[in-house]
Amino acid sequence: MTRYAFFEGEIRPIEEARISVRTHAFNYGTGWFGGLRGYWSEEREQLYVFRIYDHYKRFLQSGSLLYANLPYSIDDLVAITLELLRREGWRQDCYIRPVGYKADEIIGVRLHNLRDEVTIFSTEFGRYIQAEEGAKVCFSSWRRIDDNMIPARGKITGAYANSGFIKSEAVRNGFDEALVLTQEGHVSEGSAENFFMVRDGVLITPPVHSNVLEGITRRSLIHLAQEELGLTVVERDIDRSEVYVADEAFLCGTGVQVAAIATVDHRPIGAGRMGPITDHLRDLYFRVVRGEEAKYAHWVTAVYE
Ligand code: PMP
């Protein structure tokens, strides 16, 4: 399979997509990105990209937080992505990574009046957490970056050093993933996933003001839980110890998909394995992303004609 990337305005062989060490975004973390999944349906011989318009809407919003000045609309980025995937000819699940970045080769941290570029590439991607059916999670000793430090609702590359500290500490301590608290001590999210818990049949997730990334999977699951499972969903501050006594908990995101949490800080959540609501939502999610739910066909975009 020949690999391509969209780079400096054109789809080119991936080997030609290279940046200089002098690039502003490389020096200062002044990039922003997205992460999308393409799901292959063997039955229909079709590749479906999940919520591509919503992903590019958030991508452009992240860019505008960094004063990006781009010549691309959402429709342009969708068209470029579909063309890239067709060129590569994916016939299996894949992951798509658009990155915007401050491309000037200058010294100095300012964000404004710089040249912005977008690159898009795709790659194979299986599970982000191996134990998707029952992850071992801890609370991080780090805090989630605050919106007044680096905008949390922007997917800004520099902010992912914070995610890196959280993830590595967790994994090196023998956990699959970590939950991270806000400065005020409420649950924010995972290192690169949103968080949900179930208490007495109610689905609860931290609100957008808890420095979470406004996840597209999060939004999709809230909708599916309300519309298809008839659940009450509440967005509110969550205390650490509420998680310990939750009936169920899970992480969600494009990468992690829907990953049940088995334990938090070695304490079993519910029965210490995937709970029934998580199981149900997870099944539904996987059908939706593969284009198997007609009602949600508008959430997936077919790559091939
Ligand atoms: N939070 C963070 C910090 C993330 O990096 C991600 C992954 N993009 C998510 C949440 C989940 O967002 P989404 O469902 O849009 O992939």
Side-chain angles (χ1 to χ4, degrees):
M1 183 169 151
T2 315
R3 285 298 171 75
Y4 297 91
F6 178 75
F7 182 72
E8 295 185 346
E10 274 174 57
I11 294 177
R12 316 159 185 261
I14 190 104
E15 299 74 32
E16 293 175 19
R18 297 196 179 277
I19 58 165
S20 160
V21 292
R22 293 162 56 100
T23 304
H24 196 276
F26 174 66
N27 283 262
Y28 302 116
T30 52
W32 65 96
F33 65 107
L36 301 81
R37 274 192 189 259
Y39 287 94
W40 175 247
S41 164
E42 197 61 65
E43 198 184 308
R44 286 182 223 161
E45 303 219 342
Q46 183 59 272
L47 185 69
Y48 293 105
V49 183
F50 188 59
R51 301 196 75 164
I52 190 169
Y53 292 88
D54 298 293
H55 275 280
Y56 279 120
K57 183 174 178 192
R58 184 179 68 194
F59 178 78
L60 291 180
Q61 284 172 353
S62 295
S64 71
L65 288 168
L66 291 171
Y67 301 99
N69 200 350
L70 290 176
Y72 307 111
S73 65
I74 295 176
D75 287 336
D76 294 336
L77 295 168
V78 169
I80 292 163
T81 302
L82 298 181
E83 175 57 26
L84 175 74
L85 295 173
R86 278 183 210 124
R87 260 284 188 118
E88 294 189 309
W90 283 101
R91 291 179 64 84
Q92 67 183 75
D93 293 353
C94 64
Y95 183 83
I96 304 135
R97 168 56 54 84
V99 187
Y101 58 100
K102 300 282 160 188
D104 280 272
E105 300 182 13
I106 57 147
I107 300 296
V109 296
R110 76 160 202 271
L111 295 172
H112 64 284
N113 292 346
L114 290 176
R115 183 167 62 89
D116 297 291
E117 287 286 351
V118 170
T119 182
I120 307 173
F121 63 90
S122 69
T123 185
E124 289 108 353
F125 197 33
R127 291 187 166 203
Y128 181 69
I129 293 180
Q130 286 315 313
E132 257 181 29
E133 289 86 1
K136 280 169 36 190
V137 171
C138 61
F139 274 101
S140 183
S141 70
W142 298 93
R143 289 290 179 270
R144 168 73 170 149
I145 207 141
D146 188 87
D147 195 49
N148 290 302
M149 298 169 181
I150 300 177
R153 64 179 41 71
K155 223 171 143 53
I156 296 172
T157 56
Y160 278 77
N162 177 237
S163 297
F165 283 112
I166 297 161
K167 181 74 178 184
S168 282
E169 181 192 50
V171 171
R172 301 197 73 166
N173 285 337
F175 297 96
D176 299 308
E177 192 42 84
L179 294 172
V180 60
L181 303 174
T182 62
Q183 291 294 345
E184 296 74 38
H186 294 121
V187 179
S188 178
E189 56 179 352
S191 67
E193 312 86 13
N194 290 114
F195 172 77
F196 283 85
M197 67 176 184
V198 178
R199 293 193 72 189
D200 299 322
V202 176
L203 196 58
I204 308 167
T205 193
V208 292
H209 66 248
S210 284
N211 299 325
V212 304
L213 181 78
E214 294 177 356
I216 289 157
T217 316
R218 174 184 181 277
R219 204 186 314 150
S220 305
L221 292 175
I222 289 174
H223 183 92
L224 293 173
Q226 289 172 329
E227 298 302 315
E228 307 305 326
L229 274 61
L231 293 176
T232 301
V233 183
V234 181
E235 295 181 47
R236 64 155 175 84
D237 290 339
I238 296 176
D239 286 337
R240 174 180 189 151
S241 61
E242 278 188 281
V243 177
Y244 293 155
V245 298
D247 303 319
E248 299 183 31
F250 60 87
L251 295 164
C252 73
T254 301
V256 79
Q257 307 181 107
V258 180
I261 296 177
T263 61
V264 177
D265 292 342
H266 306 290
R267 298 157 189 264
I269 302 302
R273 64 181 116 83
M274 180 159 23
I277 291 177
T278 309
D279 199 5
H280 198 158
L281 256 182
R282 187 165 179 266
D283 267 8
L284 180 58
Y285 178 77
F286 281 126
R287 288 204 303 279
V288 168
V289 296
R290 272 186 212 284
E292 290 163 12
E293 288 287 331
K295 188 170 168 191
Y296 293 98
H298 60 289
W299 280 359
V300 297
T301 301
V303 172
Y304 302 114
E305 290 314 323

